[in-house]
């Protein structure tokens, strides 16, 4: 059973998602502020964190930064679950820290699918990394692969959200937003090309025979 920490300053919202998670077979832990979430993480290591953005006094982005600077919690996947529309600056600044960005309201099925997608992706990357290590690939190359494998998937998701939120072909879209989205598209394209190169090298390298 996976454990999920829900962090939101609305008791009603927390209770709703705790109930949804428990019905889906997850063990849910409730935190009613960013500060309380960080305090819980001192003694509990959940498999995943659902984190709201619009909280006070510590908002979700500040909470996320605190999670990611702590060596004990930085590897826990964080899924932003919020009613706040994503901005290009947020996508660029926090994209490498998160696993997904889900807009409320959300159905039971959508929530379960989002969680399972994140957990499955992490398992696939972990398996590929182990195979690459067994094959004796350079550690820096393996680390780059793990970072890109997650980053490409997450950034594509964030890009789709931005394209839905801001129509860059609309004359009312600001030049800054249009440029940010195009820059993100170019960055993802470069990342995909590099990821394909590394993956090809991993797949073409035979595993070392055990002695």
């Amino acid at each position: 059973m996976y454990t999920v920490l829900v962090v939101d300053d609305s008791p009603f919202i927390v209770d709703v998602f705790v109930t949804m998670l428990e019905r889906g077979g997850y063990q849910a832990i409730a935190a009613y502020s960013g500060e309380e979430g960080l305090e819980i993480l001192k003694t509990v290591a959940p498999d995943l964190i659902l984190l709201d953005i619009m909280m006070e006094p510590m908002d979700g982005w500040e909470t996320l930064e605190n999670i990611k600077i702590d060596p004990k919690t930085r590897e826990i996947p964080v899924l932003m679950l919020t009613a706040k529309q994503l901005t290009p600056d947020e996508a660029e600044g926090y994209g490498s820290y998160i696993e997904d960005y889900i807009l409320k309201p959300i159905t039971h099925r959508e929530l379960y699918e989002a969680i399972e997608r994140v957990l499955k992706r992490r398992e696939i990357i972990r398996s590929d990394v182990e195979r690459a290590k067994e094959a004796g690939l350079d550690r820096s190359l393996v680390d780059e692969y793990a970072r890109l494998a997650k980053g490409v998937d997450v950034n594509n998701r964030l890009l789709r959200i931005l394209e839905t939120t801001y129509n860059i072909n609309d004359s009312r879209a600001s030049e800054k937003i249009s440029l940010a989205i195009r820059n993100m598209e170019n960055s993802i394209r470069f990342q995909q090309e590099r990821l394909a190169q590394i993956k090809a090298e991993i797949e073409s390298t035979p595993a070392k025979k055990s002695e």
Side-chain angles (χ1 to χ4, degrees):
M1 179 183 292
Y2 290 113
T3 301
V4 180
L5 173 64
V6 182
V7 186
D8 196 308
D9 62 355
S10 166
F12 172 74
I13 294 295
V14 171
D15 292 346
V16 166
F17 281 101
V18 164
T19 300
M20 289 172 69
L21 289 165
E22 290 176 344
R23 286 179 179 173
Y26 301 96
Q27 180 179 351
I29 302 172
Y32 300 96
S33 67
E35 294 89 342
E36 184 178 356
L38 295 174
E39 194 63 30
I40 289 173
L41 288 172
K42 291 179 180 179
T43 56
V44 178
D47 296 292
L48 184 140
I49 300 169
L50 297 180
L51 179 60
D52 185 42
I53 294 175
M54 294 186 291
M55 300 187 294
E56 295 182 352
M58 179 185 290
D59 69 13
W61 294 129
E62 185 179 354
T63 305
L64 176 68
E65 289 175 344
N66 278 278
I67 292 170
K68 294 303 177 179
I69 62 174
D70 187 337
K72 295 180 181 178
T73 58
R74 67 170 54 141
E75 296 303 321
I76 301 173
V78 179
L79 198 158
M80 307 309 289
L81 185 60
T82 179
K84 182 184 182 301
Q85 291 290 350
L86 180 69
T87 69
D89 286 344
E90 289 169 340
E92 180 181 4
Y94 299 105
S96 62
Y97 289 166
I98 66 175
E99 302 285 337
D100 207 341
Y101 193 100
I102 306 297
L103 289 170
K104 305 174 193 172
I106 185 172
T107 66
H108 289 71
R109 170 179 272 186
E110 289 169 339
L111 178 63
Y112 304 152
E113 287 178 349
I115 292 173
E116 292 303 317
R117 182 172 61 246
V118 168
L119 296 174
K120 183 177 180 180
R121 181 179 64 220
R122 287 174 68 84
E123 285 302 317
I124 291 173
I125 293 174
R126 186 178 291 115
S127 176
D128 288 345
V129 165
E130 287 303 314
R131 184 173 61 176
K133 288 179 179 178
E134 290 173 2
L137 262 67
D138 182 79
R139 180 56 186 265
S140 63
L141 194 65
V142 175
D143 290 343
E144 184 182 4
Y145 167 78
R147 185 175 67 254
L148 287 172
K150 175 209 161 187
V152 166
D153 196 28
V154 173
N155 286 331
N156 269 314
R157 167 69 180 164
L158 298 181
L159 178 62
R160 288 194 296 271
I161 293 172
L162 290 175
E163 288 174 336
T164 301
T165 305
Y166 308 97
N167 182 1
I168 63 175
N169 295 318
D170 190 328
S171 59
R172 291 172 294 181
S174 75
E175 184 177 343
K176 180 182 178 182
I177 289 176
S178 298
L179 179 61
I181 291 176
R182 291 194 177 98
N183 286 342
M184 191 171 181
E185 291 173 337
N186 292 331
S187 176
I188 292 173
R189 193 174 300 113
F190 172 79
Q191 291 173 351
Q192 288 173 324
E193 291 172 356
R194 178 58 181 157
L195 179 61
Q197 292 174 351
I198 300 175
K199 194 159 189 176
E201 186 168 349
I202 291 175
E203 292 175 348
S204 65
T205 304
K208 290 182 177 180
K209 294 182 179 180
S210 57
E211 297 180 358

